[in-house]
Amino acid sequence: MEIIESKPKETILLLGNEAITRGALEAGVDIATTYPGTPSSEIADTFSAIAKYLKKKGEKPSFYFEYSTNEKVALEVAAAASLSGLRALTCMKHVGLNVASDAFMTYLYVGCRGGHVIVSADDPYCHSSQNEQDNRYFAIFASAPMLEPTTPEEAKEMTRLGFEISEELQSPILLRTVTRLNHARGAVVLKKPVKPRGKGHFEKSPMLVTTPAVARARHPELLKMMERAEKISEKSPFNEIINVGRPDDWGIVTSGVSFNYVREIVDDLNLDVRILKLGMTHPLPRKMCEKFVKSCKNIVIVEELEPILENQFKEMIYDLGTNVKLYGKSTGRFSRLYEYNLDIVTEALSKIFKVKNPISKPVKPKIKIPGRPPSLCPGCPHRATYYAVKKASPKGTVYPTDIGCYTLGKEPPLEMADLLLCMGSNAGTACGLAASTDHTVISFMGDSTFFHSGIPPIINAVHHSHDVVITILDNRTTAMTGHQPHPGNDFDGMGRPARRIKVEDVVKGCGVEHIEITDPNNIEETTEAFKRAIGFKGPSVIVSKAPCILLENRAKRKAGEKIPVYTIDQEKCKKCKICIGKFGCPAFYYAKDDSIHIDEQQCNGCGNCVLVCPFDAISKKKEMK
Amino acid sequence: MSDKISIVLTGVGGQGVITAANILGKAAVNAKVNVYVSEVHGMAQRGGSVSCTVRMGNIFGPLVASGTADAIISMEPSEALRYIQYANKETKVVTDINSVIPFTVAVGGEEYPDLDDIFKEINSRSKLYKMDALNIAKESGALITKNIVMLGALAATDVLPFKSEILLKTILDNVPAKYKEINKRAFEGGMKAIKQS
């Protein structure tokens, strides 16, 4: 395993997320916690893989790692470890910090003891997210020192040194990353890992109990901490001025991955300019920035999403009373939307610097290419559940959904997703729909989402007798983010045996009176189960239980078993198109003569098409794959 | 040769695009060439369109600007065309000829274009190299080595700033011992296909 077995000073290619894990290991991290979420997942998955690899070798990992039930729990677990003197890392996707924010906001008042790096993986362009919120606001909101890496190498170094900064300030710090860093690979030079501390000790202090009196006493301390943080920022090697060519009075201020675009384009456009590259972006090195402002007559701010640097520089220019012209989002040169790239930044900079844009306008293909969006895999048990629900539910039924693979049920022909806000919102919004409309309401969430934030709204439904059907699609894994385990599994993220918590036991404990467990691969039974649940007055829960087909097939292959493949008897097929047009398995396709076939490469052998075909035209092939 | 090299790798989720990009990045590190790779994760693994970019030399970021790719390596013909905006007249576009029909064609009533039309448009905008990579992979001993066939093809285009032996060695260092021969055949098959075209 290269990431732990390579020697110090070696250069290896690492994913931005792996580099963060490596940085934490080099800093002697004792504990890492997370709830998985793209684009952050591989940070935690790397800890998990290392722990399992060492376990197999009969060695003990130097850290404790867990996939916590949600981001708030993950942060609380790590915060307590840090307050016991250990070094802790917590990672999550940007919207995960919303979940953790209740703990996060007051944690900054309390402060930490062992260094604690909290990673927020933001997702400009919403590559795999429900919004593109800019979590740099969280650093400002909570008064959290913040680092923003540019490359995998810098991500590793910022993580490593982030623990030092955190310990010096006795405050958790935010490492704010974006997809283009998390999922970029670059060369990283390894350093020797420091030995972790191992066991912590919790020193009691009345200041750790945030009663109003304590909170009032802690708030001024928080502001003082930020003053000390500013001094660190002034001296930080992550904040630097880079002179390109022979700069006169033009400057560019940038941070994070935007620096990559700026640095390259400045060369391409032959610009003479000084670049203020900011790595510690909260608090800003005020003196350094002011000096930079004074050395310029024109300043361009290049940052993705919100005008956070821009507004702070505007404030600075106003305070200094200087006559500097500022180019940024407010002057219409840069967008607050989506992810930047070379095309976007070159276009803006060439206009501002009045030089020719060397990049040709992108020309789309003349021929129309069919879309290739992600879809529920062939053999996915969610498809079978959706098909059964559709058969059972009356016209006008509303289907609130949630975050996971099953969100893909939104696409035709299933179209089984009507409303989605965030993790766990399916059951909460179901309650609201039941309270305010006459629609039949059937909501969907996965098992991992159930443990994450799906339980409180079920209790709400029971307590207020909302007439809803809440479905838990239990495929025994967190599939969408890469098959991480959750409390419904009998093993944990370190590969150790763990106590399995059954979804139906929890639901029963919540007081739900009508609970049914069904196997979605038995479509008929599942349809009947939903009919009964719809007929039940009051909240009912259906646990639709079948393993993720990808995991099931992986296990079969490992055990040397073959995967069945299905085929269509062209003589029996009446081209009713139910398999394609209603069930929508992506392994089915039309040949040139409009006959329907199954792509053997794609078929995962679930056999549910046999159940949906009304003419018995589909059967298992003799040869398996 | 320019001091920057930009390569776009494309295909369909499951075809090994990300693995190919990762291996290419590792080869560059082995050759002591500055390299930066960007990948698509998450939703893309569910059968979606996948693209990765690999840049080498005097570069600062992993993304490729429109019209500046030196090579587009595609595991599927329509995916080569989907990313054609990165190509210019000199760009070498290498694609497998075997199409994977997206479910939007069966379900959404979209149409998969005629292969000849796809190749015609690519050829009019760049230098097209098409090959039956799936068959070469099959003859090498495993269909899943198609991505390695494509890396062999890339190595034969002279786009890379290091010797093809370094890429082949990196591939072999990253596969289990029992698959080394198959991967070697796949790589060499890909190289041969380009050299003969």
Side-chain angles (χ1 to χ4, degrees), chain A residues 559-621:
Chain A
E561 283 177 50
K562 295 230 169 194
I563 314 289
V565 179
Y566 288 80
T567 186
I568 301 173
D569 183 337
Q570 295 300 329
E571 286 188 3
K572 285 189 187 167
C573 176
K574 299 277 180 287
K575 304 211 175 38
C576 69
K577 298 180 187 170
I578 283 177
C579 51
I580 288 188
K582 293 239 159 58
F583 191 59
C585 174
F588 284 71
Y589 67 94
Y590 291 110
K592 283 248 151 67
D593 62 354
D594 267 352
S595 58
I596 301 169
H597 303 265
I598 297 172
D599 179 351
E600 284 185 25
Q601 295 255 354
Q602 290 199 54
C603 176
N604 276 324
C606 72
N608 285 332
C609 49
V610 177
L611 305 177
V612 304
C613 176
F615 301 104
D616 285 334
I618 306 175
S619 60
K620 206 189 269 187
K621 274 182 86 165

